Amino acid sequence: MNHSQDNTTPAIAEPSRDQIRRWRRYLADEIAEAEIYRVIARRKESPEREILLGLATAEKRHEDHWRLLLGEHAQNPPRPSPHRILLRWLAKVFGSVFILALAQRAESDSPYAKDQHATPAMVADEAIHEEVVRGLASRGREQLAGNFRAAVFGANDGLVSNLALVMGIGATGVATSVVLFTGIAGLLAGALSMAAGEFVSVRSQRELLEASSPTQVTLEAAEHLDLDQNELVLVYRARGMNEEDAVHRAQERLGYFSCDCNPSFSAHPDGSQGPVDYSGDHEAIGSPWSAAFSSFCFFASGAIIPVIPYLFGMSGLPAVALSAVLVGLALLCTGGVVGLLSGASPFKRGLRQLLIGFGAAAVTYLLGLLFGANLA
């Protein structure tokens, strides 16, 4: 099939004022996007640098397309859209996975599919660009996944749980000092609970990994085994080898073969370099003390926010309102960051976090009002 006609620029008469305005906006955005990819590429190693520069080259082709249609109207293109301006600034300052996630959203929002003066090749390019940027961003997402998840969920738990606690107690009409000390107690109790839970979780994972890691007992016991009842075969079958591989490995360990044909199931691959190092698996899980400390800090950083008005001596409805506003802003931020990294709408994710947090706080506030009324 011949695609040459699919990529040609549609022939049109003198463009209208609306077309000129729209194409000049496209031109400005293409120039900005190419610069964004070049800026990020400067901070990357190969092959990511070549991939980003390839995207910049493709954006240059799109730029040339709009210049050709605009003719003399391509002179002095306008400023790009605010979204592209923000992206370009962020790329110069950070150049991180957040920018790639934003760029992914920008590529997915391309208007070319609905514009008859954008060629099919350009429409296809934009769809492919989104997948390329998605792939680049996914590497950073994988690196951030563990720590980022702990940070967001820890801070979010602190925000929601302590806001609900402070609002519930505050609604009963007790003294400001009681609300303050209740909030601090909630912060400490929640943070210590999170830290203890994370410590136990990570420590248990490490212990399970240590219990599952092969030992060198096969080397130490091999010379004393009964050759007719060779239980080394059972050891290697238990590690996942099939019957043939297990028999071969057992004969290697007993000295019948000098090769090491399948070292992946052995705790001591070649008999000379020492046992296999499984520390990498432990490092991937992390230290239980460091996980506990991080969880404590993440939860406390969120839980302190609802208490701030009371730390400065505020009381009553103004303190409750300011606490809710501060927590609301924090929830919008955490939700927005999740949205950015997931390639979704930051506003929608932030709004979702806000509604969930305020929903929990509203329930406890109403219960506090009810309880306070009953006490009165």
Side-chain angles (χ1 to χ4, degrees):
M1 179 178 177
N2 185 3
H3 294 275
S4 59
Q5 293 182 351
D6 294 340
N7 302 330
T8 57
T9 302
I12 62 171
E14 178 68 18
S16 67
R17 183 174 300 178
D18 180 67
Q19 288 173 331
I20 292 173
R21 183 169 54 252
R22 186 171 70 252
W23 296 348
R24 281 171 59 81
R25 185 174 68 249
Y26 291 162
L27 174 61
D29 285 347
E30 293 292 359
I31 294 172
E33 286 181 8
E35 183 180 355
I36 289 166
Y37 291 132
R38 284 193 291 268
V39 169
I40 300 175
R42 295 190 197 112
R43 303 190 180 192
K44 297 291 184 180
E45 304 287 338
S46 296
E48 289 185 347
R49 176 183 295 154
E50 284 75 14
I51 295 171
L52 288 163
L53 291 176
L55 289 174
T57 300
E59 303 296 356
K60 180 64 169 63
R61 289 199 307 270
H62 298 177
E63 174 191 337
D64 293 340
H65 170 83
W66 298 119
R67 286 189 182 277
L68 180 62
L69 283 182
L70 284 165
E72 63 180 11
H73 302 291
Q75 301 296 324
N76 301 317
R79 291 168 62 84
S81 63
H83 184 75
R84 264 76 174 186
I85 294 175
L86 175 63
L87 261 180
R88 187 169 56 188
W89 179 80
L90 290 172
K92 291 178 180 178
V93 176
F94 298 106
S96 67
V97 62
F98 291 94
I99 314 309
L100 288 172
L102 283 168
Q104 178 185 331
R105 279 192 55 77
E107 294 290 359
S108 68
D109 292 337
S110 173
Y112 291 170
K114 299 178 181 179
D115 195 311
Q116 63 175 335
H117 296 104
T119 67
M122 293 171 65
V123 176
D125 282 350
E126 294 298 316
I128 293 300
H129 291 181
E130 181 189 358
E131 289 304 310
V132 172
V133 177
R134 186 194 303 272
L136 292 173
S138 68
R139 302 184 187 186
R141 289 185 180 115
E142 290 170 2
Q143 294 171 358
L144 286 175
N147 293 334
F148 174 75
R149 179 181 177 278
V152 170
F153 285 110
N156 193 72
D157 285 348
L159 285 165
V160 175
S161 64
N162 227 28
L163 175 66
L165 179 62
V166 166
M167 291 189 72
I169 295 296
T172 63
V174 298
T176 302
S177 59
V178 175
V179 180
L180 174 61
F181 288 122
T182 300
I184 293 175
L187 183 157
L188 291 173
L192 288 170
S193 175
M194 289 280 291
E198 197 68 17
F199 179 89
V200 171
S201 173
V202 174
R203 183 61 190 167
S204 298
Q205 283 183 280
R206 292 175 70 89
E207 289 171 349
L208 286 172
L209 182 61
E210 290 168 359
S212 303
S213 299
T215 69
Q216 299 187 64
V217 68
T218 54
L219 298 176
E220 298 166 359
E223 58 181 303
H224 305 295
L225 291 176
D226 185 334
L227 299 184
D228 294 327
Q229 303 294 329
N230 185 2
E231 291 174 339
L232 274 181
V233 174
L234 302 181
V235 172
Y236 296 120
R237 290 294 303 278
R239 291 183 186 173
M241 287 186 177
N242 59 36
E243 179 74 26
E244 183 180 356
D245 286 344
V247 171
H248 193 280
R249 168 62 81 196
Q251 290 176 330
E252 289 173 15
R253 286 291 168 255
L254 293 172
Y256 289 95
F257 298 109
S258 59
C259 68
D260 197 12
C261 305
N262 190 357
S264 61
F265 293 96
S266 175
H268 195 158
D270 59 13
S272 63
Q273 297 178 355
V276 173
D277 182 12
Y278 290 94
S279 61
D281 296 330
H282 293 75
E283 290 173 2
I285 295 174
S287 161
W289 286 109
S290 123
F293 179 75
S294 298
S295 293
F296 182 94
C297 292
F298 292 145
F299 186 94
S301 67
I304 192 64
I305 293 178
V307 185
I308 289 176
Y310 298 94
L311 288 173
F312 287 92
M314 295 182 66
S315 62
L317 189 58
V320 170
L322 180 57
S323 180
V325 169
L326 293 175
V327 171
L329 292 174
L331 288 172
L332 285 173
C333 289
T334 57
V337 171
V338 171
L340 285 179
L341 284 182
S342 63
S345 167
F347 176 75
K348 290 182 180 179
R349 292 294 184 271
L351 186 60
R352 183 179 67 180
Q353 293 282 88
L354 182 66
L355 292 176
I356 292 172
F358 276 11
V363 170
T364 57
Y365 184 75
L366 293 175
L367 289 174
L369 286 176
L370 180 64
F371 185 69
N374 289 336
L375 284 179

